[in-house]
Amino acid sequence: MTVTYSSRVASVSNVASFFKLLIRWKGSVIKLVLVDLIIFLVLYFIFNFTYRFGLNPAQKRTFESIASYCNQNTGRIPVAFILGFYVVLVIQRWLQVLRTLPWPNRMSFFTTTLVHGDDEMGRLMRRTIQRYLTLSTVLLTRDTCPPVRKRFPTLQHVVDAGLMTDNEMHVYENIPAPQAKYWVPLVWSTALVTRARKEGRIKDDISAQTMIVEIDKYRGYLMALFNYDWIPIPLIYTQVTTLSVYTYFLACLMGAQFLDVETPQNWIDMKVPIFTVMQFVFYVGWLKVAECMLNPLGEDDDDFEINYIIDCGFELSMLAVELHGTLPEMDKDVYWEKVEFDLPYTAAAEKFKVEPHLGSAIDLVVSPKVSEFLQDGSCSSIPDEEASPSIIRRRHPSKMQRIFSNRSRHMRPRRQLSRTTSSNSQTSGQSNVHDRPLEPQSLQEDSQNQHRFPKHSTVLHIGEDDPSNQRDPYSHRLDSMISHISDVSGRSADQDFTHTVLEAVIEESNEMEKQSDPRCGSGEVGLTNMERGMPKEESENLREKHEDQSAEELSIRTEHTDLDPSIQKDITPGAPSVENEEKMALLTGRDEAEDSATSANMPPASQSENDETDPNETTSLLK
């Protein structure tokens, strides 16, 4: 039932061949949509005659309103969208079914080659194996394909056709299996392969395994065909597609009417809606294509010829096993004494002869000036700057970069007091790592975090007033920390750098937790809590009092530090800043800070004893 027209479209130069396809009846779109088109036109003209001859003027106005409403809203139905996806899904499924059609020809080549024996038993084994494969196909398609069912309505018809014996039918019917039993003949085929191996008709185990694997592949094709018949495309998808198409054209019965209203759409009165008919043929024909291909094992014009597949497969497989051992006498061919093998062409086929393809670059000519080989070391294909390892960048951030990046995102920004390496730190031989600030070295991340700083957090810079130095202090903090580690430890900062930095991160985290605790000082956090619920004037007076007190204590403490004089002249005693208040909170609340340090495994006793005398410890508190 497959409509074959490949010979008619062998060449596009013959335009008439494609137009001849339009007048073919079998498998044509006109044959599929003719009945639906006739019903649509009958209903259309019923509405049209009723409007023109059966309604009064008031009723016509109502009809025209309904027609205009339908015409404006038919575009809301996504016919092309739904129908397009549905047809694509159906065609994919149709092609998959085509690829799973079982053909026993491949197995016949293995059977006639690997099952030896010119006697009657050897011939019987080969023919029986191939007959069982065809029998399993018939037993499956009897249950899935209506044309095959009509051809073999009962098992007795299968016996009469010569595909099954009476004894085999008796054994088959007595198998107590409630499910489909099309696979039983394949089990019989594997048993015959095993018997042939035991009798020596199959020479080795590899040959027997090859035949059993091929039988299993054949069973897989039958199982896939059974599954496609069992599980179709979901019904809801088919319903939605069908409803969308037919609902659209039900609306066109009213929306496509030519009315008596003087509008640009009705400037001409067409008795027959030509373009609506064309639209109906295209959309409904598209739907009919999907309906025909939905079950390729059916009785439509373009469904698969399962009966022909059974006949062709059975005949070719039986003929192949009958050719076992037959070989024509070998003789020398006509090219025995020739080196060049030129097969002849007829005059009609001479224009199709082509020259052999030797490569697309075969005609490329290289100038002699650039065709000489270069001497070793005369030229380098990679520039020096590209080969330099200094331009190598990490594709992903390192572990330390991730630590600093996470810390910069979560820490509270504070004013940083940078200082130069003092002689005291060099002579003492050791220094608290948390005296040095720890921040990321990425300028890009610092620029992203600048909007989080308070406006009054003034940054104190050390050194020259060069504009190049007036930038965010976070860019230099990691370098100063590395330099400090090198000075204190007396070795390269790269040695044990990770452990030192991690220890510094942990210690400074403990210090920040202590500073952020409201119980550990009376800085800005304390003032903020006190200001809540106060009048505005009283709150301002309280803030000025704390600022004056902070300035006095800060000036007293800085006299005992080893800071550079440039720091002292840049400090403004009365400047309102969160960092100054935090520093004074640390100085005035040392007792509470010592309790917090004890909980963080820090020695508070030594800190309290040397607080007044050790300048390094005072600097640490300022930091």
Side-chain angles (χ1 to χ4, degrees), residues 257-270:
Q257 295 288 339
F258 288 91
L259 308 175
D260 294 338
V261 182
E262 295 296 335
T263 59
Q265 292 82 6
N266 299 311
W267 64 276
I268 185 173
D269 189 5
M270 296 290 295

Side-chain angles (χ1 to χ4, degrees), residues 238-442:
T238 304
Q239 290 177 344
V240 168
T241 306
T242 305
L243 286 175
S244 64
V245 173
Y246 285 105
T247 303
Y248 177 84
F249 287 105
L250 284 176
C252 288
L253 291 175
M254 294 290 293
Q257 295 288 339
F258 288 91
L259 308 175
D260 294 338
V261 182
E262 295 296 335
T263 59
Q265 292 82 6
N266 299 311
W267 64 276
I268 185 173
D269 189 5
M270 296 290 295
K271 301 299 186 293
V272 179
I274 298 177
F275 287 96
T276 303
V277 171
M278 295 175 61
Q279 194 177 28
F280 185 91
V281 172
F282 297 151
Y283 278 162
V284 177
W286 204 4
L287 178 63
K288 293 297 181 180
V289 169
E291 292 176 353
C292 291
M293 302 177 69
L294 189 60
N295 183 15
L297 305 180
E299 301 178 353
D300 295 323
D301 291 340
D302 284 303
D303 288 338
F304 300 149
E305 298 282 356
I306 303 300
N307 282 319
Y308 171 76
I309 293 175
I310 293 173
D311 296 341
C312 181
F314 181 68
E315 292 175 3
L316 295 179
S317 62
M318 298 299 281
L319 179 61
V321 296
E322 284 298 315
L323 294 178
H324 172 74
T326 60
L327 183 66
E329 183 179 356
M330 292 185 295
D331 196 1
K332 295 180 180 180
D333 55 80
V334 297
Y335 304 99
W336 184 264
E337 301 293 340
K338 296 182 180 180
V339 178
E340 297 181 357
F341 306 96
D342 295 330
L343 296 176
Y345 281 80
T346 61
E350 186 178 4
K351 62 180 180 180
F352 301 109
K353 184 178 180 180
V354 296
E355 296 296 330
H357 179 70
L358 301 179
S360 59
I362 190 84
D363 297 329
L364 181 63
V365 179
V366 182
S367 175
K369 297 181 180 180
V370 294
S371 59
E372 297 181 358
F373 288 107
L374 298 175
Q375 300 297 330
D376 295 340
S378 61
C379 181
S380 177
S381 59
I382 302 177
D384 295 337
E385 59 270 17
E386 294 183 5
S388 177
S390 62
I391 66 169
I392 297 177
R393 297 290 185 268
R394 286 182 179 269
R395 183 180 297 271
H396 302 286
S398 63
K399 183 176 180 180
M400 292 304 303
Q401 290 174 345
R402 290 196 300 269
I403 293 175
F404 293 136
S405 177
N406 294 333
R407 180 172 175 77
S408 64
R409 276 197 302 269
H410 298 292
M411 73 175 298
R412 178 182 175 182
R414 301 179 301 168
R415 178 169 52 176
Q416 306 297 333
L417 295 176
S418 303
R419 65 173 185 177
T420 58
T421 305
S422 61
S423 59
N424 295 332
S425 62
Q426 295 177 357
T427 56
S428 60
Q430 61 181 3
S431 176
N432 292 332
V433 181
H434 62 271
D435 291 344
R436 296 291 182 179
L438 295 176
E439 291 299 335
Q441 60 180 343
S442 174

Side-chain angles (χ1 to χ4, degrees), residues 198-249:
K198 291 181 179 180
E199 294 179 358
R201 299 184 183 276
I202 299 177
K203 299 302 182 180
D204 49 47
D205 295 336
I206 297 177
S207 300
Q209 181 183 6
T210 302
M211 295 187 65
I212 293 176
V213 169
E214 190 63 28
I215 293 174
D216 182 68
K217 289 182 179 179
Y218 195 85
R219 181 209 58 81
Y221 291 144
L222 295 178
M223 186 65 187
L225 199 63
F226 181 79
N227 290 336
Y228 281 120
D229 178 76
W230 175 31
I231 304 175
I233 294 177
L235 178 62
I236 185 173
Y237 203 172
T238 304
Q239 290 177 344
V240 168
T241 306
T242 305
L243 286 175
S244 64
V245 173
Y246 285 105
T247 303
Y248 177 84
F249 287 105

Side-chain angles (χ1 to χ4, degrees), residues 503-521:
E503 183 180 0
V505 170
I506 294 173
E507 293 181 359
E508 189 168 358
S509 299
N510 295 333
E511 180 182 355
M512 290 184 60
E513 291 178 1
K514 176 179 64 178
Q515 295 177 0
S516 61
D517 192 351
R519 300 172 301 175
C520 297

